[in-house]
Amino acid sequence: MNKLVFVTGATAGFGKAIAEKYAAAGCPVIITGRRKERLQQLQQELQQKYNVKVLPLEFDVQNRKEVFQAIKNLPAEWRPIDILVNNAGLAAGRDYFDEADLDDWDTMIDTNVKGLLYVSKAVIPLMIKKDASSGSKGHIINMGSIAGKEVYEKGNVYCASKFAVDAISQSMRIDLLRHGIKVTAIHPGAAETEFSLVRFKGDTAKATAIYEGYKPLTAGDIAEVVFFCTVLPEHVCINELALTPSQQANTIYFHKDNLGQ
Ligand code: NDP
Ligand code: 8X3
């Protein structure tokens, strides 16, 4: 496979596994995130293991200027992007609406919603240009969540941000139709990554408890699904795809193992 892939949030979790999946398939990959050392380490790892080109780009998706600058400065060979995976995102806190922290709300909206918009707005012209020169159509994968389909207690603004990702994905699909750009929204349920550690601000006990009593999804599972959506024939577009662990029905209902309690 020879597609140029741009993955946001590649320093951990889903993004890292997605970058590896495409690298293993022989694709050049642009990996992005804020943690420079992790980006450099992943670049080395993927280059050595799969003999593919990897370009690390360090920026904060919340920072509009940084996003546009980084993408504007892409070297020529890295500009004809085929696949954009808008994955960078987070939950900050899990609190009742009236007790939640305003800064957490700002962070989630700025990252999950505005960050995704900025990156998309900067990358889409490159996809359109590529189509004009080679006839190759772009594909955008937006990382939503089952939290963007159904709200849960104390999920308030995280859920709202993922509902926004769902709405943005639907409207992108309509507005980009004339360019032949496919848009797929992936909506995962519980997956064990650094997500809960970030959400609970480093509280390992709280983070670990989220995944107790059932087998959560892994980052590798999500990478498989993302990859699958992008290797279908040109005329096929998976518009959205929700997946959960087999022991999870939705954001609320789990069938947990007997924990001996
Ligand atoms: P991780 O915490 O493991 O990874 C999150 C990634 O996002 C990191 O690479 C991080 O990089 C990046 N990121 C976060 N904030 C920013 C920012 N401001 N600028 C640039 N990059 C940023 O979480 P997951 O892999 O689990 O999450 C990935 C996506 O999947 C998120 O959008 C999340 O909402 C969604 N999701 C997760 C689920 C889960 O259960 N894990 C389920 C459903 C959806 P860095 O810190 O280096 O900037
Ligand atoms: C992450 C899944 O259910 O913790 O998007 O919100 S959940």
Side-chain angles (χ1 to χ4, degrees), residues 93-171:
R94 186 165 175 161
D95 305 289
Y96 287 117
F97 191 94
D98 52 306
E99 293 172 358
D101 185 318
L102 276 176
D103 289 335
D104 284 347
W105 284 1
D106 281 344
T107 303
M108 289 187 278
I109 290 170
D110 289 350
T111 308
N112 301 353
V113 183
K114 291 167 75 179
L116 181 146
L117 292 173
Y118 297 156
V119 173
S120 304
K121 197 78 165 73
V123 169
I124 288 166
L126 303 181
M127 287 182 164
I128 295 172
K129 202 166 169 195
K130 170 158 184 158
D131 179 25
S133 65
S134 70
S136 160
K137 313 284 184 200
H139 194 160
I140 300 173
I141 307 283
N142 291 330
M143 198 55 69
S145 169
I146 57 168
K149 291 289 181 183
E150 173 190 54
V151 292
Y152 55 86
E153 187 181 61
K154 302 180 182 175
N156 45 69
V157 172
Y158 178 67
C159 294
S161 74
K162 291 298 182 178
F163 269 73
V165 172
D166 190 25
I168 290 164
S169 302
Q170 292 182 45
S171 62

Side-chain angles (χ1 to χ4, degrees), residues 8-16 18 32-36 38-39 58-63 66-67 86-91 107 110-112 115 143-147 158 161-162 165 186-199 210-211 216-217 219 222 243 248:
T8 68
T11 57
F14 298 173
K16 189 174 176 196
I18 292 165
T32 85
R34 291 165 301 180
R35 286 170 286 180
K36 193 177 181 174
R38 285 197 185 198
L39 287 173
E58 179 202 343
F59 61 82
D60 183 336
V61 297
Q62 298 173 92
N63 186 319
E66 275 184 27
V67 171
N86 275 317
N87 162 77
L90 80 172
T107 303
D110 289 350
T111 308
N112 301 353
M143 198 55 69
S145 169
I146 57 168
Y158 178 67
S161 74
K162 291 298 182 178
V165 172
I186 306 288
H187 300 294
E192 192 164 10
T193 59
E194 292 176 16
F195 177 84
S196 291
L197 200 61
V198 170
R199 178 173 223 172
I210 293 290
Y211 307 108
L217 297 170
I222 307 305
L243 68 154
Q248 181 181 23

